[in-house]
Amino acid sequence: MTDKFMRTTILSLTLSLLACCGTLLAQQTDTLSLRQQSIVAIAANTATGNLENLETAFACGLDDGMTVNEIKEVLVHAYAYCGFPRSLRALQTFMQVLDERKAQGITDTVGRDATPVNDSRDKYTRGAELLEKLSGAPKNAPKTGYAAFAPIIEQYLKEHLFCDIFERDLLTWQERELATVSILSALGKGVEPMLKSHSAICLRQGITEGQLHQMTEMVNGMK
């Protein structure tokens, strides 16, 4: 066997191996991680009020490495999309799960708090800027639709949702949007325009179409 033939053979095998690794990597990145699956399950079951499934989702999230504060943040985030009653019941259920795990000798990691935000600008400006980065929509675009019809709700959205909530760094923007789409999917009929717009933001934030499809299958399986 000549040196040239050996080099060619080794090169071919190397390229084949790299191709296989590339395909495997692509498949892996097109699948939700365990952390992302936990966020989907927690957010969706919070929206529907399925407390029994929520208990399981909490346990899975903790076992897969989410901290107590990160899970609490998913539940706090959820109230903006499915209301205080669902969010508060989820928080109460989470407290119960933590007490039960503690009684079983399980020590769950509390984790860090959100990093303080040092920005003296007004909340509306900060929220508008964040929403522009999140969605790509110009922050100074003319107000239309509900924003023109009821300007105060647009103010609340910018100041509270996209400033007070999205500025908290316990979850990434991608994770918050994944939670949002999971909640809207679980709510189902009547929120289609919001689901469409937040799905687009998810894609913009790096979630793939395959991951969105997996999320939809997960949520549908919980109903």
Side-chain angles (χ1 to χ4, degrees):
M1 184 178 295
T2 65
D3 289 343
K4 182 178 180 180
F5 179 78
M6 289 182 64
R7 287 196 298 272
T8 301
T9 301
I10 292 172
L11 178 60
S12 297
L13 290 172
T14 301
L15 291 174
S16 297
L17 180 61
L18 288 173
C20 289
C21 289
T23 300
L24 180 59
L25 180 60
Q27 292 173 342
Q28 289 174 336
T29 55
D30 209 36
T31 301
L32 294 170
S33 67
L34 291 177
R35 177 184 174 87
Q36 289 171 324
Q37 290 179 49
S38 291
I39 291 173
V40 170
I42 291 168
N45 284 304
T46 295
T48 59
N50 191 327
L51 303 184
E52 184 176 349
N53 282 355
L54 196 52
E55 290 181 10
T56 302
F58 287 146
C60 289
L62 292 167
D63 291 341
D64 289 333
M66 290 191 74
T67 68
V68 171
N69 283 345
E70 287 171 340
I71 291 178
K72 284 196 293 186
E73 193 71 15
V74 176
L75 305 181
V76 171
H77 178 92
Y79 103 83
Y81 295 96
C82 62
F84 271 115
R86 293 297 195 201
S87 179
L88 294 178
R89 285 298 288 128
L91 283 165
Q92 291 167 342
T93 303
F94 189 35
M95 292 167 62
Q96 177 184 328
V97 168
L98 290 174
D99 286 342
E100 291 173 353
R101 287 169 66 89
K102 185 177 180 180
Q104 296 168 12
I106 301 172
T107 302
D108 292 307
T109 302
V110 175
R112 68 178 181 85
D113 292 323
T115 304
V117 177
N118 297 313
D119 191 332
S120 60
R121 293 178 301 163
D122 66 272
K123 289 184 178 182
Y124 186 89
T125 298
R126 286 152 53 192
E129 184 178 284
L130 192 152
L131 179 57
E132 182 180 54
K133 293 177 181 178
L134 191 69
S135 67
K139 61 183 178 182
N140 296 321
K143 292 179 175 57
T144 60
Y146 68 81
F149 183 67
I152 190 63
I153 196 71
E154 192 263 349
Q155 180 181 333
Y156 290 160
L157 280 170
K158 298 286 176 59
E159 292 182 350
H160 183 49
L161 176 58
F162 292 108
C163 181
D164 288 337
I165 297 179
F166 267 79
E167 276 191 341
R168 292 172 58 82
D169 64 356
L170 282 175
L171 299 173
T172 65
W173 291 355
Q174 183 188 91
E175 290 171 339
R176 288 189 182 279
E177 281 303 317
L178 183 62
T180 300
V181 172
S182 301
I183 291 166
L184 295 172
S185 296
L187 291 176
K189 203 168 183 179
V191 295
E192 292 86 355
M194 293 75 183
L195 178 58
K196 181 179 179 181
S197 63
H198 281 283
S199 294
I201 295 176
C202 258
L203 293 173
R204 178 178 170 82
Q205 292 301 316
I207 295 293
T208 68
E209 291 185 7
Q211 288 172 324
L212 280 181
H213 180 70
Q214 183 184 357
M215 179 276 302
T216 301
E217 290 185 332
M218 284 183 62
V219 173
N220 287 339
M222 298 172 198
K223 293 179 180 179

